[in-house]
Amino acid sequence: MTTNSTLFPTQIMRAELNAKLDTYLDASLARISNAPVTPRNDLEGFRTELADMQFQTPMDLETLLQWTIGHLETGAVQMTHTGYLGLFNPAPSFPAEAADRIAAALNPQICVWSHAPIAVEIEAHVITQIADRIGLPDGAGGHFTTGGSEANATAFLCALTRMNSDYAEQGARAFTGQPRIYVSKESHLAWLKIAHQNGVGRQAVRLVPTDGQGRMDAGALADYIEEDKAGGDIPVMIAATAGTTNAGMVDPLHACADIAKSHQIWYHVDAAWGGAIIASDRERPVLDGIERADSVTIDAHKWFATTMGAGMFFTAHPKVLSETFRVSTSYMPSNDADVDLYVNTMQWSRRFVGLRLFLALASAGWQGYGQHIEHGIDLIDYLNTEMVKHGWQIANASRMAVSCLIPPAHLGSVEDMAEKIVSGGTHWVSLVKYEGRSVLRACLTNGRTSKADIDGFIAQLVAP
């Protein structure tokens, strides 16, 4: 039988296509840097082209590569653009890009150690090194995830399993009252979906008020727990946020740890984007108290600048993972809770995502990553200083690379300002609520963004 040469080209054909793909991608990235950051494609025309592709007649792959890159270049908000000051998905580091190419080409299946021992060992080593950097105790463990939502869901499953040994078999019915998880109103509300998914219901999530500065109010947290216990509910977990989505604020980590300890419940820290600050010796004190957590979430695909999606889950109690995800079946070659990821994680089949952070960390070192983190913070500090000179208010007091800006009255509303910036095309910012007030949010996680880019942003903000 004949092998399809498009799906499985010869080595020579493959080399030629790889070279062309590199050329097309490099040219596209160069064009993006000098083009609007916002989408500008003809969507109706694209839909017509797409609808015509019925897959009945094969098309030339090289042409398809150019077609796809071209449409993505104009049909998305460009995260790699140095004027992108939006969410947490930065321009990926080149080592992370290279890792994706390697993992895609060799495609190891790392759910079980025996099939890909080198890949599993690399991921475990990265997890151990970062857990140590966090300050978790010796023997701490964890694994890579698809993102922060999976990591946070893992934390809640571990908390439920440790709280009630019957939960694994009986689910929510094992509890005599409503299980409760405590997060701040400024937390990432994936917690609502997590509670729904885990079978305890969205009412399990207690949204704790903040202190007026975007941080969980520890006093209100303590009161909520006492109130719930008196009403027959079962407090299961406190999830503090270390780097809120809207404003980069850090909940009172030590106070949350003390309250969790006093009630003997699981203490989790969601540091999905802010956790990368552990790389900076200068800024590490911002996360003082994170080392007391039972578990921690950090996303590699946010401030650590890997490609999407690469989250991480860390825990001081790795044995709870094997209790939570235990499973055994004859078609798996082994069932070793010490090394086999499928018995310690939510996923079964697994991509080798940890290579992205391994190559980046190994090539840049903690010093290089610290420089990357401080670059973003220093540029935000510069932005804040300049905006105050022009009469703007800085709503958030964060040491992370995010600024919540409020314009002076004569420049119009925050909403109008956001529309003005985004429609201009050179920069992208988001409009969010911070402590109930609309603010213009600028977040800087792109390692290529320069002072000149920020100066251009400032010029637009202060123009009448």
Side-chain angles (χ1 to χ4, degrees):
M1 298 185 68
T2 303
T3 299
N4 186 289
S5 61
T6 299
L7 296 178
F8 305 100
T10 65
Q11 190 168 356
I12 293 174
M13 294 168 61
R14 181 187 177 89
E16 292 175 350
L17 285 167
N18 270 324
K20 290 176 179 178
L21 179 58
D22 282 339
T23 299
Y24 300 150
L25 284 172
D26 288 344
S28 178
L29 288 170
R31 289 191 297 269
I32 286 171
S33 66
N34 295 305
V37 65
T38 47
R40 58 191 190 281
N41 59 315
D42 172 14
L43 191 56
E44 288 305 314
F46 169 77
R47 286 172 175 162
T48 299
E49 292 178 27
L50 192 62
D52 288 341
M53 295 183 184
Q54 300 294 314
F55 312 131
Q56 299 300 318
T57 303
M59 299 177 67
D60 176 64
L61 177 58
E62 183 181 344
T63 301
L64 283 168
L65 294 176
Q66 291 177 290
W67 181 87
T68 302
I69 292 169
H71 278 297
L72 287 174
E73 181 182 319
T74 60
V77 175
Q78 296 302 329
M79 309 298 183
T80 66
H81 197 290
T82 56
Y84 179 73
L85 304 172
L87 305 178
F88 308 117
N89 312 127
S93 69
F94 182 76
E97 289 184 54
D100 258 357
R101 296 287 291 271
I102 294 169
L106 301 180
N107 204 29
Q109 164 61 286
I110 70 167
C111 71
V112 61
W113 182 90
S114 63
H115 275 45
I118 297 301
V120 173
E121 295 280 347
I122 285 174
E123 285 205 349
H125 178 69
V126 174
I127 292 295
T128 298
Q129 293 302 306
I130 298 179
D132 182 65
R133 191 83 180 184
I134 292 170
L136 296 178
D138 291 343
H143 54 266
F144 280 86
T145 68
T146 54
S149 291
E150 182 193 331
N152 287 341
T154 297
F156 193 32
L157 279 171
C158 286
L160 290 163
T161 301
R162 193 178 71 165
M163 176 61 67
N164 189 322
S165 59
D166 291 329
Y167 172 75
E169 301 299 330
Q170 299 178 21
R173 292 173 300 171
F175 290 92
T176 57
Q178 170 71 66
R180 288 288 193 184
I181 173 176
Y182 302 88
V183 301
S184 88
K185 289 185 176 180
E186 288 289 323
S187 67
H188 193 298
L189 292 186
W191 291 112
L192 296 171
K193 296 200 293 183
I194 288 166
H196 187 167
Q197 181 185 38
N198 287 351
V200 297
R202 294 178 177 228
Q203 289 185 355
V205 181
R206 270 287 214 172
L207 297 177
V208 181
T210 54
D211 62 356
Q213 295 296 318
R215 300 168 298 217
M216 186 188 294
D217 186 322
L221 170 64
D223 291 343
Y224 273 25
I225 293 175
E226 293 292 352
E227 176 185 324
D228 288 343
K229 290 175 73 173
D233 294 344
I234 314 295
V236 173
M237 184 172 86
I238 295 170
T241 304
T244 57
T245 301
N246 286 348
M249 304 308 295
V250 179
D251 288 341
L253 301 182
H254 280 295
C256 290
D258 290 340
I259 294 169
K261 183 178 180 180
S262 68
H263 290 281
Q264 297 184 314
I265 60 179
W266 191 276
Y267 177 40
H268 178 69
V269 176
D270 178 5
W273 87 274
I277 213 167
I278 61 173
S280 167
D281 292 335
R282 187 188 80 185
E283 302 293 341
R284 174 62 176 79
V286 170
L287 297 182
D288 184 45
I290 194 173
E291 68 279 357
R292 298 179 62 187
D294 292 301
S295 58
V296 175
T297 288
I298 299 178
D299 278 348
H301 65 234
K302 291 191 171 77
W303 214 355
F304 270 118
T306 75
T307 50
M308 296 289 293
M312 294 176 285
F313 174 78
F314 306 90
T315 180
H317 315 288
K319 293 297 183 184
V320 178
L321 284 171
S322 53
E323 295 171 15
T324 301
F325 297 105
R326 57 185 169 82
V327 67
S328 179
T329 181
S330 62
Y331 53 77
M332 296 305 292
S334 64
N335 191 258
D336 188 340
D338 290 331
V339 294
D340 289 340
L341 287 169
Y342 81 96
V343 293
N344 284 284
T345 73
M346 192 176 295
Q347 299 177 56
W348 202 294
S349 295
R350 299 179 65 86
R351 183 178 173 86
F352 185 18
V353 300
L355 184 61
R356 305 167 190 175
L357 190 53
F358 170 77
L359 290 183
L361 264 176
S363 58
W366 285 115
Q367 183 178 4
Y369 258 111
Q371 181 183 14
H372 165 64
I373 297 301
E374 291 163 16
H375 170 76
I377 293 172
D378 290 346
L379 284 178
I380 287 295
D381 284 347
Y382 170 71
L383 170 65
N384 287 343
T385 299
E386 293 302 306
M387 296 317 297
V388 169
K389 292 178 183 177
H390 289 283
W392 286 59
Q393 297 178 50
I394 313 302
N396 62 324
S398 172
R399 282 305 301 159
M400 295 183 186
V402 60
S403 177
C404 293
L405 299 160
I406 301 173
H410 72 274
L411 288 179
S413 69
V414 175
E415 292 79 6
D416 289 343
M417 184 61 67
E419 183 178 355
K420 169 187 171 183
I421 297 299
V422 173
S423 62
T426 61
H427 295 79
W428 198 95
V429 291
S430 51
L431 181 68
V432 302
K433 292 282 189 180
Y434 174 65
E435 290 292 342
R437 186 174 185 180
S438 293
V439 296
L440 195 71
R441 176 184 174 281
C443 182
L444 204 157
T445 55
N446 189 335
R448 297 191 182 99
T449 299
S450 67
K451 181 174 176 291
D453 294 307
I454 299 303
D455 283 336
F457 179 53
I458 292 171
Q460 293 184 68
L461 291 176
V462 301

